[in-house]
Protein backbone atom coordinates (compact mmCIF):
# COMPACT_ATOMS: atom_id res chain seq x y z
CA UNK A 1 0.00 0.00 0.00
CA UNK A 2 1.26 3.49 -0.88
CA UNK A 3 1.88 6.06 1.87
CA UNK A 4 -0.50 8.40 0.06
CA UNK A 5 -3.40 6.13 1.07
CA UNK A 6 -2.53 6.56 4.73
CA UNK A 7 -2.37 10.38 5.02
CA UNK A 8 -5.01 12.02 7.21
CA UNK A 9 -5.29 14.88 4.72
CA UNK A 10 -4.30 14.50 1.07
CA UNK A 11 -0.74 15.61 0.25
CA UNK A 12 0.52 16.46 -3.27
CA UNK A 13 1.87 13.41 -5.08
CA UNK A 14 4.67 15.40 -6.74
CA UNK A 15 7.90 16.06 -4.84
CA UNK A 16 8.45 19.16 -2.69
CA UNK A 17 11.28 20.99 -4.45
CA UNK A 18 13.45 23.26 -2.33
CA UNK A 19 15.79 25.41 -4.46
CA UNK A 20 19.37 25.47 -3.22
CA UNK A 21 22.16 27.91 -3.82
CA UNK A 22 25.88 27.74 -3.17
CA UNK A 23 28.78 25.62 -4.28
CA UNK A 24 29.93 22.01 -4.05
CA UNK A 25 33.40 22.36 -2.56
CA UNK A 26 36.46 20.28 -3.37
CA UNK A 27 39.59 20.31 -1.25
CA UNK A 28 43.04 19.04 -2.19
CA UNK A 29 44.11 18.74 1.45
CA UNK A 30 43.63 15.05 2.21
CA UNK A 31 45.62 15.06 5.45
CA UNK A 32 45.51 17.03 8.64
CA UNK A 33 41.94 16.29 9.71
CA UNK A 34 40.98 17.36 13.22
CA UNK A 35 41.32 14.48 15.70
CA UNK A 36 38.00 15.04 17.39
CA UNK A 37 36.14 15.02 14.08
CA UNK A 38 38.00 11.98 12.82
CA UNK A 39 37.23 10.16 16.07
CA UNK A 40 33.58 10.98 15.65
CA UNK A 41 33.76 9.70 12.06
CA UNK A 42 35.33 6.45 13.28
CA UNK A 43 32.55 6.10 15.82
CA UNK A 44 29.98 6.79 13.11
CA UNK A 45 31.39 3.90 11.09
CA UNK A 46 31.71 1.53 14.06
CA UNK A 47 28.21 2.12 15.34
CA UNK A 48 26.16 1.49 12.21
CA UNK A 49 23.25 -0.85 12.84
CA UNK A 50 20.35 -2.33 10.91
CA UNK A 51 16.81 -1.53 11.98
CA UNK A 52 15.54 -4.70 10.34
CA UNK A 53 17.76 -6.79 12.62
CA UNK A 54 18.39 -4.81 15.79
CA UNK A 55 14.74 -4.07 16.54
CA UNK A 56 12.14 -6.65 17.58
CA UNK A 57 9.36 -5.62 15.25
CA UNK A 58 7.07 -8.38 16.60
CA UNK A 59 6.44 -6.42 19.77
CA UNK A 60 2.90 -5.06 19.87
CA UNK A 61 1.95 -1.40 19.93
CA UNK A 62 -1.45 -0.01 20.88
CA UNK A 63 -2.15 2.38 17.96
CA UNK A 64 -4.39 4.60 20.10
CA UNK A 65 -1.67 4.99 22.74
CA UNK A 66 1.67 4.20 21.12
CA UNK A 67 3.85 5.29 24.01
CA UNK A 68 1.60 3.59 26.58
CA UNK A 69 1.20 6.73 28.69
CA UNK A 70 -1.46 7.28 31.38
CA UNK A 71 -4.30 9.51 30.15
CA UNK A 72 -3.37 12.29 32.60
CA UNK A 73 -0.44 12.97 30.27
CA UNK A 74 -2.80 14.10 27.53
CA UNK A 75 -2.65 17.91 27.27
CA UNK A 76 -6.46 18.12 27.08
CA UNK A 77 -6.97 15.89 30.12
CA UNK A 78 -9.07 17.59 32.79
CA UNK A 79 -10.66 20.08 30.39
CA UNK A 80 -14.40 20.20 29.70
CA UNK A 81 -13.61 19.22 26.12
CA UNK A 82 -11.93 16.04 27.36
CA UNK A 83 -14.75 15.31 29.81
CA UNK A 84 -17.34 15.44 27.04
CA UNK A 85 -15.42 13.02 24.79
CA UNK A 86 -16.54 9.40 24.58
CA UNK A 87 -13.89 6.66 24.96
CA UNK A 88 -14.05 6.15 21.20
CA UNK A 89 -13.34 9.81 20.57
CA UNK A 90 -10.44 9.80 23.04
CA UNK A 91 -8.98 6.74 21.31
CA UNK A 92 -9.31 8.46 17.94
CA UNK A 93 -7.60 11.54 19.38
CA UNK A 94 -4.79 9.37 20.79
CA UNK A 95 -4.21 7.62 17.49
CA UNK A 96 -4.00 10.95 15.68
CA UNK A 97 -1.60 12.34 18.29
CA UNK A 98 0.70 9.32 17.94
CA UNK A 99 0.58 9.49 14.17
CA UNK A 100 1.20 13.24 14.16
CA UNK A 101 4.19 13.00 16.49
CA UNK A 102 5.91 10.13 14.71
CA UNK A 103 5.11 11.64 11.30
CA UNK A 104 6.96 14.80 12.32
CA UNK A 105 9.87 12.63 13.48
CA UNK A 106 9.77 10.92 10.08
CA UNK A 107 9.64 14.10 7.98
CA UNK A 108 12.37 15.62 10.14
CA UNK A 109 14.53 12.56 9.43
CA UNK A 110 13.99 12.98 5.69
CA UNK A 111 15.02 16.61 6.16
CA UNK A 112 18.15 15.44 7.98
CA UNK A 113 18.89 12.99 5.17
CA UNK A 114 18.75 15.80 2.60
CA UNK A 115 20.65 18.31 4.72
CA UNK A 116 23.46 15.92 5.69
CA UNK A 117 23.93 15.01 2.02
CA UNK A 118 24.07 18.73 1.26
CA UNK A 119 26.69 19.23 3.98
CA UNK A 120 28.86 16.57 2.35
CA UNK A 121 28.95 18.76 -0.74
CA UNK A 122 29.15 22.23 0.68
CA UNK A 123 31.45 21.94 3.71
CA UNK A 124 35.05 22.87 2.84
CA UNK A 125 36.96 20.38 5.05
CA UNK A 126 37.42 16.73 4.29
CA UNK A 127 37.05 15.59 7.92
CA UNK A 128 33.59 17.17 7.98
CA UNK A 129 32.68 15.63 4.62
CA UNK A 130 33.65 12.21 6.02
CA UNK A 131 31.51 12.62 9.06
CA UNK A 132 28.52 14.02 7.16
CA UNK A 133 28.69 10.97 4.87
CA UNK A 134 28.19 8.59 7.84
CA UNK A 135 25.42 10.80 9.09
CA UNK A 136 23.68 10.60 5.72
CA UNK A 137 23.63 6.82 6.10
CA UNK A 138 22.36 7.14 9.68
CA UNK A 139 19.51 9.37 8.54
CA UNK A 140 18.53 6.96 5.75
CA UNK A 141 18.23 4.23 8.39
CA UNK A 142 16.13 6.51 10.59
CA UNK A 143 13.73 7.30 7.75
CA UNK A 144 13.44 3.59 7.08
CA UNK A 145 12.71 2.84 10.73
CA UNK A 146 10.09 5.53 11.32
CA UNK A 147 8.26 4.71 8.06
CA UNK A 148 8.06 1.08 9.08
CA UNK A 149 6.80 2.04 12.52
CA UNK A 150 4.15 4.45 11.21
CA UNK A 151 3.00 2.21 8.42
CA UNK A 152 2.86 -1.07 10.30
CA UNK A 153 2.07 0.00 13.85
CA UNK A 154 -0.12 3.10 13.46
CA UNK A 155 -1.30 2.93 9.86
CA UNK A 156 -1.68 6.68 9.51
CA UNK A 157 0.56 9.54 8.33
CA UNK A 158 0.27 13.26 9.00
CA UNK A 159 1.61 15.84 6.52
CA UNK A 160 4.72 17.81 7.49
CA UNK A 161 4.26 20.62 9.99
CA UNK A 162 4.59 23.96 8.22
CA UNK A 163 7.02 25.47 10.74
CA UNK A 164 9.32 22.49 10.33
CA UNK A 165 9.06 22.80 6.55
CA UNK A 166 9.90 26.50 6.74
CA UNK A 167 13.01 25.98 8.85
CA UNK A 168 14.14 23.11 6.64
CA UNK A 169 13.75 25.23 3.51
CA UNK A 170 15.59 28.16 5.09
CA UNK A 171 18.43 25.87 6.14
CA UNK A 172 18.78 24.46 2.63
CA UNK A 173 18.27 27.62 0.59
CA UNK A 174 21.15 29.56 2.09
CA UNK A 175 24.44 29.65 0.20
CA UNK A 176 26.58 30.02 3.35
CA UNK A 177 27.82 26.53 4.20
CA UNK A 178 27.28 26.81 7.93
CA UNK A 179 23.56 27.61 7.79
CA UNK A 180 22.39 24.06 7.03
CA UNK A 181 24.47 22.99 10.03
CA UNK A 182 22.98 25.55 12.29
CA UNK A 183 19.40 24.95 11.19
CA UNK A 184 19.59 21.20 11.02
CA UNK A 185 22.37 19.95 13.29
CA UNK A 186 21.82 22.38 16.09
CA UNK A 187 18.17 23.44 16.01
CA UNK A 188 16.15 20.65 14.38
CA UNK A 189 18.37 17.81 15.60
CA UNK A 190 18.70 19.32 19.04
CA UNK A 191 14.98 19.61 19.42
CA UNK A 192 14.29 16.17 17.96
CA UNK A 193 16.85 14.64 20.29
CA UNK A 194 15.12 16.17 23.29
CA UNK A 195 11.66 15.07 22.07
CA UNK A 196 12.93 11.52 21.44
CA UNK A 197 14.39 11.58 24.93
CA UNK A 198 11.09 12.51 26.58
CA UNK A 199 9.32 9.60 24.86
CA UNK A 200 12.21 7.18 25.35
CA UNK A 201 12.20 7.84 29.08
CA UNK A 202 8.42 8.01 29.62
CA UNK A 203 7.20 5.34 27.22
CA UNK A 204 6.08 2.05 28.71
CA UNK A 205 5.96 0.38 25.31
CA UNK A 206 9.13 -1.71 24.78
CA UNK A 207 9.24 -1.27 20.99
CA UNK A 208 8.92 2.52 21.21
CA UNK A 209 11.59 2.62 23.93
CA UNK A 210 13.88 0.44 21.93
CA UNK A 211 13.69 2.32 18.65
CA UNK A 212 14.04 5.72 20.27
CA UNK A 213 17.05 4.59 22.34
CA UNK A 214 18.80 3.35 19.21
CA UNK A 215 18.01 6.42 17.12
CA UNK A 216 19.23 8.64 19.96
CA UNK A 217 22.52 6.81 20.07
CA UNK A 218 23.12 8.13 16.53
CA UNK A 219 21.56 11.57 17.00
CA UNK A 220 23.82 12.39 19.92
CA UNK A 221 26.77 12.09 17.52
CA UNK A 222 25.05 14.36 15.00
CA UNK A 223 24.62 17.16 17.50
CA UNK A 224 28.25 16.72 18.58
CA UNK A 225 29.29 17.04 14.93
CA UNK A 226 27.45 20.33 14.46
CA UNK A 227 29.03 21.62 17.63
CA UNK A 228 32.59 20.69 16.75
CA UNK A 229 32.45 22.07 13.23
CA UNK A 230 30.69 25.31 14.10
CA UNK A 231 32.66 26.16 17.21
CA UNK A 232 35.88 26.46 15.24
CA UNK A 233 34.27 28.43 12.45
CA UNK A 234 32.24 30.86 14.55
CA UNK A 235 35.30 31.88 16.53
CA UNK A 236 36.67 33.39 13.30
CA UNK A 237 33.57 35.37 12.28
CA UNK A 238 33.08 39.13 12.57
CA UNK A 239 30.57 40.62 15.02
CA UNK A 240 28.17 41.31 12.15
CA UNK A 241 28.38 37.79 10.76
CA UNK A 242 27.79 36.33 14.19
CA UNK A 243 24.80 38.61 14.73
CA UNK A 244 23.22 37.28 11.52
CA UNK A 245 23.57 33.73 12.82
CA UNK A 246 22.11 34.72 16.17
CA UNK A 247 19.07 36.17 14.44
CA UNK A 248 18.61 32.90 12.57
CA UNK A 249 18.80 31.00 15.87
CA UNK A 250 16.19 33.19 17.56
CA UNK A 251 13.73 32.93 14.68
CA UNK A 252 14.34 29.19 14.34
CA UNK A 253 13.78 28.54 18.04
CA UNK A 254 10.42 30.32 18.05
CA UNK A 255 9.37 28.34 14.99
CA UNK A 256 10.43 25.09 16.64
CA UNK A 257 8.71 25.88 19.89
CA UNK A 258 5.34 26.35 18.19
CA UNK A 259 5.81 23.24 16.17
CA UNK A 260 5.28 20.88 19.08
CA UNK A 261 1.81 22.04 20.06
CA UNK A 262 0.05 19.59 17.75
CA UNK A 263 -2.39 22.12 16.36
CA UNK A 264 -2.94 20.07 13.20
CA UNK A 265 -4.53 17.22 15.18
CA UNK A 266 -7.01 19.59 16.80
CA UNK A 267 -7.87 21.07 13.41
CA UNK A 268 -8.14 17.70 11.71
CA UNK A 269 -10.55 16.38 14.37
CA UNK A 270 -12.56 19.62 14.21
CA UNK A 271 -12.22 20.37 17.92
CA UNK A 272 -12.52 24.03 19.02
CA UNK A 273 -9.01 25.12 18.00
CA UNK A 274 -8.37 28.25 20.06
CA UNK A 275 -9.76 26.80 23.29
CA UNK A 276 -7.85 23.57 22.85
CA UNK A 277 -4.63 25.45 22.18
CA UNK A 278 -5.15 27.40 25.38
CA UNK A 279 -5.46 24.15 27.31
CA UNK A 280 -2.38 22.76 25.63
CA UNK A 281 -0.33 25.83 26.47
CA UNK A 282 -1.43 25.80 30.12
CA UNK A 283 -1.12 22.08 30.70
CA UNK A 284 1.65 21.18 33.17
CA UNK A 285 2.76 18.37 30.87
CA UNK A 286 3.28 20.77 28.01
CA UNK A 287 5.18 23.30 30.12
CA UNK A 288 7.50 20.58 31.32
CA UNK A 289 7.83 19.18 27.82
CA UNK A 290 8.68 22.57 26.40
CA UNK A 291 11.47 23.25 28.85
CA UNK A 292 12.85 19.76 28.20
CA UNK A 293 12.68 20.36 24.46
CA UNK A 294 15.32 23.03 24.73
CA UNK A 295 17.63 21.05 26.99
CA UNK A 296 19.92 20.14 24.08
CA UNK A 297 19.68 23.27 21.92
CA UNK A 298 20.48 25.93 24.52
CA UNK A 299 23.82 24.56 25.80
CA UNK A 300 24.85 23.84 22.21
CA UNK A 301 24.07 27.38 20.97
CA UNK A 302 26.03 28.73 23.90
CA UNK A 303 28.90 26.40 23.25
CA UNK A 304 29.32 27.34 19.57
CA UNK A 305 29.57 30.97 20.64
CA UNK A 306 26.23 32.39 19.52
CA UNK A 307 25.52 33.77 22.95
CA UNK A 308 24.74 37.45 22.36
CA UNK A 309 22.10 39.43 24.28
CA UNK A 310 19.37 38.78 21.67
CA UNK A 311 19.74 35.02 21.96
CA UNK A 312 19.79 35.13 25.76
CA UNK A 313 16.74 37.42 25.83
CA UNK A 314 14.80 35.06 23.54
CA UNK A 315 15.61 32.06 25.77
CA UNK A 316 14.65 34.01 28.86
CA UNK A 317 11.34 34.90 27.17
CA UNK A 318 10.72 31.22 26.41
CA UNK A 319 11.63 30.31 29.98
CA UNK A 320 14.42 27.96 28.91
CA UNK A 321 17.54 29.98 29.74
CA UNK A 322 18.37 27.68 32.66
CA UNK A 323 19.23 24.94 30.19
CA UNK A 324 22.44 26.80 29.35
CA UNK A 325 24.10 25.01 32.30
CA UNK A 326 23.34 21.60 30.76
CA UNK A 327 26.26 19.25 30.22
CA UNK A 328 26.01 17.99 26.62
CA UNK A 329 28.89 15.55 26.95
CA UNK A 330 27.22 13.89 29.92
CA UNK A 331 23.87 13.69 28.10
CA UNK A 332 25.56 12.11 25.09
CA UNK A 333 27.29 9.52 27.25
CA UNK A 334 23.96 8.74 28.87
CA UNK A 335 22.30 8.27 25.44
CA UNK A 336 24.98 5.72 24.59
CA UNK A 337 24.59 3.89 27.88
CA UNK A 338 20.82 3.67 27.60
CA UNK A 339 21.03 2.18 24.10
CA UNK A 340 23.59 -0.35 25.35
CA UNK A 341 21.39 -1.21 28.30
CA UNK A 342 18.44 -1.88 25.96
CA UNK A 343 20.75 -4.19 23.98
CA UNK A 344 21.86 -5.99 27.13
CA UNK A 345 18.28 -6.53 28.28
CA UNK A 346 17.36 -7.88 24.88
CA UNK A 347 20.30 -10.26 24.94
CA UNK A 348 19.32 -11.41 28.41
CA UNK A 349 15.78 -12.14 27.21
CA UNK A 350 17.00 -14.06 24.20
CA UNK A 351 19.28 -16.19 26.37
CA UNK A 352 16.39 -16.96 28.72
CA UNK A 353 14.14 -17.95 25.81
CA UNK A 354 16.86 -20.13 24.27
CA UNK A 355 17.59 -21.77 27.63
CA UNK A 356 13.87 -22.51 27.95
CA UNK A 357 13.83 -24.08 24.49
CA UNK A 358 16.87 -26.21 25.26
CA UNK A 359 15.38 -27.41 28.54
CA UNK A 360 12.13 -28.23 26.77
CA UNK A 361 13.99 -30.24 24.14
CA UNK A 362 15.92 -32.14 26.81
CA UNK A 363 12.68 -32.87 28.69
CA UNK A 364 11.09 -34.13 25.48
CA UNK A 365 14.13 -36.31 24.80
CA UNK A 366 13.94 -37.79 28.30
CA UNK A 367 10.32 -38.75 27.80
FE1 LIG B 1 18.13 11.05 12.43
FE1 LIG C 1 20.36 13.18 12.92
Amino acid sequence: MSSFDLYTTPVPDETWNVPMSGAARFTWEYDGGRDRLLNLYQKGKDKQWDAQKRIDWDQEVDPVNVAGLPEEFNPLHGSDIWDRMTQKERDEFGRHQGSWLFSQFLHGEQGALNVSARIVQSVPDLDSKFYAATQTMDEARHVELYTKFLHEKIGMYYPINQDLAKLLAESLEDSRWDLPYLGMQVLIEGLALAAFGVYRDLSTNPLVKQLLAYVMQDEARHVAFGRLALKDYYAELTEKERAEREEFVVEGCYLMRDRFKGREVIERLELPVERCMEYVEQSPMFTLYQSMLFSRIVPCVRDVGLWGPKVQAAYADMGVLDNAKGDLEALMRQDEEIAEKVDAERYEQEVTVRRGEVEEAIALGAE
Side-chain angles (χ1 to χ4, degrees):
M1 190 195 282
S2 153
S3 311
F4 289 117
D5 302 328
L6 298 179
Y7 274 91
T8 49
T9 346
V11 290
D13 57 7
E14 65 266 22
T15 53
W16 176 41
N17 300 331
V18 179
M20 298 187 296
S21 55
R25 293 181 176 84
F26 286 74
T27 173
W28 310 124
E29 171 59 282
Y30 290 98
D31 298 294
R34 289 159 283 186
D35 283 346
R36 290 181 74 191
L37 261 169
L38 291 175
N39 285 341
L40 203 61
Y41 169 59
Q42 186 59 45
K43 213 170 184 184
K45 288 187 291 178
D46 291 341
K47 301 261 165 164
Q48 295 285 325
W49 49 275
D50 184 349
Q52 304 292 343
K53 294 178 189 147
R54 195 181 183 194
I55 288 169
D56 303 318
W57 289 101
D58 293 343
Q59 298 175 101
E60 300 221 350
V61 173
D62 179 2
V64 304
N65 183 2
V66 283
L69 297 179
E71 65 173 30
E72 296 80 59
F73 281 43
N74 197 300
L76 289 188
H77 183 265
S79 70
D80 54 324
I81 300 166
W82 179 266
D83 292 341
R84 274 198 304 273
M85 282 181 177
T86 62
Q87 191 53 46
K88 205 171 151 233
E89 287 166 333
R90 286 177 191 172
D91 286 349
E92 181 71 352
F93 186 47
R95 181 158 178 242
H96 278 253
Q97 283 178 313
S99 162
W100 174 81
L101 181 74
F102 279 88
S103 296
Q104 301 318 315
F105 289 169
L106 171 67
H107 302 313
E109 295 289 357
Q110 191 188 164
L113 175 64
N114 272 318
V115 176
S116 50
R118 163 131 169 89
I119 292 175
V120 173
Q121 299 181 314
S122 62
V123 72
D125 311 297
L126 198 64
D127 51 7
S128 287
K129 285 185 192 290
F130 279 0
Y131 184 75
T134 66
Q135 184 182 336
T136 306
M137 185 59 209
D138 292 347
E139 306 299 8
R141 294 185 292 99
H142 299 168
V143 174
E144 175 197 351
L145 169 152
Y146 282 123
T147 315
K148 191 172 163 71
F149 181 75
L150 273 154
H151 198 127
E152 292 178 7
K153 302 295 183 184
I154 310 181
M156 180 193 280
Y157 288 100
Y158 256 80
I160 189 169
N161 170 276
Q162 286 313 301
D163 293 330
L164 172 62
K166 190 168 176 233
L167 187 57
L168 267 175
E170 279 175 11
S171 304
L172 278 167
E173 276 161 3
D174 208 283
S175 63
R176 292 167 289 186
W177 70 260
D178 63 302
L179 264 284
Y181 264 93
L182 191 55
M184 186 72 223
Q185 306 290 125
V186 177
L187 302 186
I188 301 178
E189 295 259 6
L191 196 88
L193 191 56
F196 295 168
V198 171
Y199 287 93
R200 175 195 64 189
D201 299 342
L202 291 179
S203 177
T204 60
N205 180 283
L207 177 65
V208 170
K209 230 182 176 46
Q210 194 179 41
L211 61 91
L212 289 174
Y214 294 159
V215 169
M216 284 185 76
Q217 193 178 17
D218 298 339
E219 300 297 353
R221 285 195 306 271
H222 303 169
V223 176
F225 170 50
R227 234 172 96 216
L228 283 176
L230 291 180
K231 199 174 174 161
D232 292 345
Y233 181 62
Y234 285 168
E236 299 164 8
L237 292 186
T238 64
E239 273 308 302
K240 187 176 164 278
E241 287 168 329
R242 244 197 313 274
E244 286 163 10
R245 270 76 178 176
E246 289 184 355
E247 222 158 87
F248 181 85
V249 165
V250 169
E251 197 207 331
C253 283
Y254 277 112
L255 274 179
M256 290 293 90
R257 178 184 72 160
D258 293 337
R259 174 189 155 199
F260 269 90
K261 288 180 187 163
R263 192 186 179 97
E264 299 97 309
V265 173
I266 311 274
E267 286 171 351
R268 175 64 181 70
L269 295 178
E270 295 175 353
L271 293 164
V273 178
E274 295 316 320
R275 280 186 42 230
C276 284
M277 293 319 287
E278 255 172 57
Y279 280 120
V280 171
E281 278 158 29
Q282 286 164 10
S283 89
M285 224 345 243
F286 184 75
T287 320
L288 178 74
Y289 186 44
Q290 197 163 38
S291 81
M292 283 160 99
L293 280 181
F294 283 84
S295 60
R296 310 274 177 139
I297 294 181
V298 178
C300 187
V301 167
R302 183 192 171 145
D303 192 59
V304 298
L306 298 178
W307 202 238
K310 267 193 191 156
V311 171
Q312 292 189 47
Y315 287 148
D317 171 51
M318 291 183 212
V320 298
L321 191 61
D322 259 5
N323 285 312
K325 297 176 211 127
D327 182 348
L328 281 175
E329 300 275 343
L331 284 169
M332 186 175 154
R333 267 197 308 278
Q334 197 187 46
D335 292 340
E336 290 263 358
E337 282 162 17
I338 292 177
E340 276 157 19
K341 204 174 137 228
V342 170
D343 272 343
E345 280 166 8
R346 244 191 90 185
Y347 178 74
E348 193 78 10
Q349 261 175 10
E350 264 168 36
V351 170
T352 315
V353 170
R354 295 259 163 73
R355 200 177 290 140
E357 283 168 2
V358 170
E359 276 162 13
E360 220 172 285
I362 293 171
L364 274 175
E367 274 168 25

